[in-house]
């Protein structure tokens, strides 16, 4: 089942509330605070770090793609960083941005994380009911009595009544608050659609050995590791197969990693495709000279 992000966010919040009610989140027994959220991040990072959460943590803690998230980095974060998430957990506001939702999903070990468009979510009947049930305001809806205003100036109320009748007879009539809500709702929908179209892509990709190849997420893996589609990596991330093309001009512009006493070179930053827990590094003068010298020493005389 494919979801939009607002539905995913409702599932995350519902799971948080369920686990809190069942006392499955011991650090949240008392109302959350920014300091408690920071402590929870440290504890979760130490106990169950997983590669699939790497991008979530980078997005939340503003870490560059070619850098790694560390326990020391989280410990240095000021508690105020979690102020928006803390307010969201307390119900004000009722919605929040994607970074806060994904961090909460990580903290509570939400099984469907992370979200990306086109992902096929295997939901239970209970979860389907959560996203299909419309949200209602606390305490239910109430109908307020209408108090007819007294006419203080003769003829004024009659003029207003005539105007109201014309508006009703000319088509559907909505009160001002309803109109404002409808305009805001449509505006949010348009902005969210634009956001999805410009910032996220639907689909998956896999490493072919030399480059990332886009693929439909519903295809059979056949031994391939499917990752969320990253258009930049598909376009720019490739393994450099000919080392003789690497010159001094490549220093600082390409990337490398040392694996089994061998240095591999890549054209873009990011995870090492053979081991996603590692990252390629920017080529330095030292590595360039050392690898060049090693290649010369291993060449046979006369070759």
């Amino acid at each position: 089942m494919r979801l939009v992000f607002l539905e995913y966010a409702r599932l995350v919040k519902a799971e948080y509330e369920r686990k809190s009610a069942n006392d499955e989140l011991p650090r949240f027994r008392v109302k959350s605070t920014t300091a408690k959220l920071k402590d929870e991040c440290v504890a979760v990072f130490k106990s169950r770090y997983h590669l699939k959460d790497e991008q979530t943590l980078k997005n939340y803690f503003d870490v560059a793609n070619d850098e790694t998230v560390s326990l020391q980095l989280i410990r240095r974060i000021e508690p105020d960083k979690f102020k928006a998430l803390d307010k969201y957990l307390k119900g004000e506001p009722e919605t929040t941005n994607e970074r806060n939702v994904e961090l909460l999903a990580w903290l509570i070990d939400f099984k469907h994380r992370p979200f990306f468009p086109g992902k096929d979510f295997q939901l239970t009947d209970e979860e389907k009911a959560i996203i299909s049930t419309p949200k209602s305001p606390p305490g239910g809806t109430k109908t307020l009595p209408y108090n007819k205003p007294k006419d203080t100036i003769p003829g004024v109320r009659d003029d207003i009544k005539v105007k109201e009748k014309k508006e009703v007879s000319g088509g559907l009539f909505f009160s001002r608050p309803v109109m404002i809500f409808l305009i805001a709702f449509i505006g949010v929908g348009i902005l969210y659609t634009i956001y999805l179209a410009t910032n996220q892509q639907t689909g998956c990709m896999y490493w072919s050995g030399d480059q990332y190849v886009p693929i439909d997420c519903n295809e059979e893996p056949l031994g391939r590791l499917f990752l969320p589609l990253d258009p930049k990596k598909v376009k720019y991330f490739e393994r450099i197969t000919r080392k003789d093309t690497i010159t001094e001009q490549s220093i600082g512009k390409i990337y490398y990693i040392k694996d089994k006493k061998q240095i591999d070179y890549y054209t873009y930053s990011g995870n090492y495709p053979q081991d996603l827990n590692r990252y390629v590094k920017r080529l330095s003068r030292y590595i360039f000279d050392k690898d060049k010298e090693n290649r010369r020493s291993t060449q046979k005389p006369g070759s």
Side-chain angles (χ1 to χ4, degrees):
M1 181 176 183
R2 299 191 178 186
L3 306 176
V4 298
F5 185 76
L6 293 178
E7 294 172 326
Y8 173 83
R10 287 185 66 181
L11 289 176
V12 173
K13 187 68 176 292
E15 182 69 357
Y16 164 75
E17 292 171 348
R18 185 192 68 79
K19 287 191 172 184
S20 295
N22 294 338
D23 203 20
E24 296 178 34
L25 303 171
R27 290 180 183 82
F28 294 100
R29 286 196 180 109
V30 186
K31 282 189 175 181
S32 68
T33 64
T34 55
K36 287 180 181 178
L37 288 172
K38 177 182 176 180
D39 292 342
E40 184 69 4
C41 285
V42 171
V44 171
F45 189 89
K46 290 169 64 177
S47 63
R48 53 173 174 79
Y49 171 80
H50 194 281
L51 179 62
K52 69 179 179 180
D53 301 311
E54 181 73 19
Q55 196 58 50
T56 292
L57 300 180
K58 284 186 175 183
N59 291 342
Y60 193 87
F61 296 114
D62 301 315
V63 177
N65 279 333
D66 56 349
E67 298 178 5
T68 57
V69 179
S70 64
L71 189 60
Q72 291 74 18
L73 181 146
I74 298 177
R75 283 174 170 160
R76 290 197 301 267
I77 296 293
E78 292 295 327
D80 280 353
K81 177 77 173 176
F82 305 94
K83 186 177 292 184
L85 177 57
D86 182 47
K87 288 183 177 180
Y88 175 61
L89 294 181
K90 292 174 180 175
E92 41 181 72
E94 290 189 2
T95 59
T96 188
N97 61 39
E98 184 174 342
R99 296 197 307 173
N100 286 326
V101 172
E102 287 291 23
L103 189 75
L104 177 60
W106 172 64
L107 288 175
I108 66 174
D109 199 17
F110 184 57
K111 64 182 179 180
H112 299 303
R113 73 183 191 276
F115 173 87
F116 62 87
K119 181 175 180 179
D120 186 17
F121 291 88
Q122 304 298 320
L123 303 183
T124 64
D125 291 339
E126 182 180 355
E127 289 171 327
K128 291 177 182 177
I130 290 172
I131 61 176
S132 63
T133 304
K135 297 184 70 175
S136 58
T141 57
K142 296 181 180 179
T143 303
L144 299 178
Y146 171 71
N147 296 321
K148 182 180 179 181
K150 296 180 180 179
D151 292 337
T152 55
I153 303 176
V156 170
R157 300 311 305 177
D158 293 335
D159 293 342
I160 293 176
K161 289 176 182 177
V162 171
K163 183 179 179 181
E164 289 179 18
K165 288 180 181 178
K166 288 181 179 179
E167 288 177 336
V168 173
S169 62
L172 291 175
F173 175 76
F174 297 101
S175 65
R176 186 181 183 86
V178 173
M179 285 296 296
I180 293 174
F181 172 78
L182 289 175
I183 293 172
F185 182 79
I186 294 171
V188 169
I190 293 173
L191 290 175
Y192 184 70
T193 302
I194 294 173
Y195 170 78
L196 290 179
T198 57
N199 291 279
Q200 301 194 45
Q201 299 291 330
T202 300
C204 293
M205 65 180 185
Y206 70 94
W207 180 249
S208 67
D210 293 329
Q211 61 185 7
Y212 281 108
V213 178
I215 192 171
D216 191 309
C217 299
N218 295 319
E219 283 198 25
E220 289 293 330
L222 300 176
R224 299 168 296 190
L225 175 63
F226 286 4
L227 300 172
L229 180 64
D230 185 333
K232 288 187 177 180
K233 285 188 177 180
V234 171
K235 186 174 182 179
Y236 300 115
F237 195 103
E238 295 181 6
R239 186 169 71 92
I240 300 175
T241 56
R242 290 188 55 189
K243 291 187 177 181
D244 58 337
T245 62
I246 300 173
T247 66
E248 289 188 15
Q249 301 298 321
S250 305
I251 296 174
K253 297 179 181 178
I254 66 172
Y255 298 79
Y256 79 95
I257 193 166
K258 189 173 182 180
D259 187 30
K260 298 178 181 178
K261 297 183 180 180
Q262 173 181 313
I263 295 181
D264 287 333
Y265 294 94
Y266 296 87
T267 56
Y268 195 65
S269 62
N271 305 79
Y272 176 41
Q274 305 299 333
D275 183 354
L276 294 176
N277 290 305
R278 301 174 63 192
Y279 292 83
V280 297
K281 301 177 182 178
R282 198 179 295 274
L283 179 62
S284 64
R285 162 68 67 175
Y286 173 77
I287 295 296
F288 173 78
D289 290 338
K290 185 176 181 181
D291 190 42
K292 187 176 181 180
E293 182 180 343
N294 288 341
R295 292 202 305 271
R296 283 178 178 173
S297 64
T298 56
Q299 287 179 346
K300 297 180 180 179
S303 60

